[in-house]
């Protein structure tokens, strides 16, 4: 149950950031192409790759940190 709450908290942050980024892209680029979704997925995937690579190289990182950032925040931010 604790892991579910960690992922849910991270997901709430990620979804909120996604919403703000989509609104910003819509205002800046207009509604003709989903630039916000494309940009969010590229940026989120890049940061997930960096984060997971960092965790692999750094032994001793907690499972809760990975759940909060990778699954929660970045999963809620992207369409992961």
């Amino acid at each position: 149950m604790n892991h579910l709450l960690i992922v849910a908290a991270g997901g709430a942050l990620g979804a909120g950031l996604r919403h703000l980024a989509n609104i910003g892209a819509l205002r800046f680029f207009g509604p003709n192409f989903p630039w916000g979704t494309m940009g969010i997925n590229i940026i989120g995937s890049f940061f997930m790759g960096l984060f997971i690579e960092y965790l692999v190289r750094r032994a001793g990182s907690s499972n809760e940190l990975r759940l909060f950032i990778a699954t929660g925040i970045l999963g809620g931010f992207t369409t992961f």
Side-chain angles (χ1 to χ4, degrees):
M1 184 65 164
N2 188 28
H3 289 163
L4 176 63
L5 295 175
I6 290 170
V7 172
L13 291 173
L17 290 171
R18 180 185 184 95
H19 178 67
L20 293 175
N22 274 330
I23 289 173
L26 184 63
R27 288 183 182 168
F28 189 73
F29 295 113
N32 296 330
F33 185 81
W35 292 108
T37 300
M38 187 174 78
I40 286 167
N41 287 334
I42 290 170
I43 291 167
S45 298
F46 177 75
F47 281 114
M48 189 168 306
L50 287 178
F51 178 70
I52 296 301
E53 192 258 338
Y54 171 74
L55 287 181
V56 167
R57 292 185 184 271
R58 180 181 169 227
S61 61
S62 69
N63 187 39
E64 287 80 12
L65 179 66
R66 181 188 58 81
L67 287 172
F68 180 71
I69 294 178
T71 306
I73 294 175
L74 293 173
F77 185 67
T78 65
T79 53
F80 168 67

